[in-house]
Amino acid sequence: MCEEVEVTMDDVTRQGVARVMDVLLPGTEVLPRATAVDAQGELLDRVLRADPKLEPIVRRCGEQAAQTSEISLADVEQWMGEDTERLVFALHAAYYMSKDVRQALNYPGQGRVPVAEATPDQLVSPELIAPVIERGPIYVPTPE
């Protein structure tokens, strides 16, 4: 059984993370802004418990953001350098775990869909089989 990792981020750092999340996920006519769904709270903690290697990255960004008056995406990229993609992944993962966000997208979540109920487009699509067609036939001859 895996040991539960505790996320220990102080309030100031978490507020910095929240500011960055609102820069990355400011909301639209359809989607709420990140802080409106508390993505910087328990949802982010779930992401960080799932992959503890992300916590130092998120923490570093939150600490930097907490000390900065104005934040832009360019600032975040400058602070984080090669860790920008991992930071953005973690923050987006937390956001899209929100029930409100999934409802806004009309995403029903994962569920059982028996193959017998699949439409032809769900079974085969040109994009799905293109690599196989491009590769050409391959087979292993049977021994004689």
Side-chain angles (χ1 to χ4, degrees):
M1 190 165 161
C2 292
E3 184 179 317
E4 178 95 5
V5 176
E6 184 180 348
V7 177
T8 56
M9 195 176 311
D10 64 56
D11 290 341
V12 173
T13 302
R14 197 172 294 273
Q15 289 170 1
V17 170
R19 293 179 61 218
V20 171
M21 290 182 99
D22 277 345
V23 168
L24 295 175
L25 299 155
T28 65
E29 290 180 16
V30 175
L31 294 171
R33 65 186 306 121
T35 53
V37 296
D38 195 33
Q40 75 279 5
E42 177 56 30
L43 297 174
L44 180 59
D45 289 355
R46 288 175 58 193
V47 171
L48 300 179
R49 283 193 301 266
D51 187 351
K53 292 177 186 174
L54 294 171
E55 185 171 359
I57 295 168
V58 172
R59 181 184 306 279
R60 188 172 86 225
C61 184
E63 289 169 352
Q64 182 69 39
Q67 298 172 15
T68 307
S69 59
E70 294 291 320
I71 301 172
S72 69
L73 181 56
D75 294 329
V76 174
E77 290 173 324
Q78 183 180 13
W79 302 335
M80 302 311 295
E82 64 184 30
D83 288 329
T84 301
E85 188 174 335
R86 294 177 69 206
L87 170 77
V88 170
F89 167 79
L91 301 183
H92 277 79
Y95 178 74
Y96 285 106
M97 285 194 302
S98 165
K99 187 177 189 176
D100 294 334
V101 172
R102 291 193 317 265
Q103 283 178 328
L105 292 170
N106 292 318
Y107 175 64
Q110 296 177 342
R112 183 175 175 269
V113 180
V115 72
E117 296 174 14
T119 65
D121 288 347
Q122 291 171 324
L123 293 174
V124 178
S125 71
E127 297 85 20
L128 183 64
I129 63 172
V132 175
I133 293 171
E134 184 177 311
R135 179 194 67 214
I138 60 170
Y139 59 91
V140 177
T142 58
E144 296 191 30

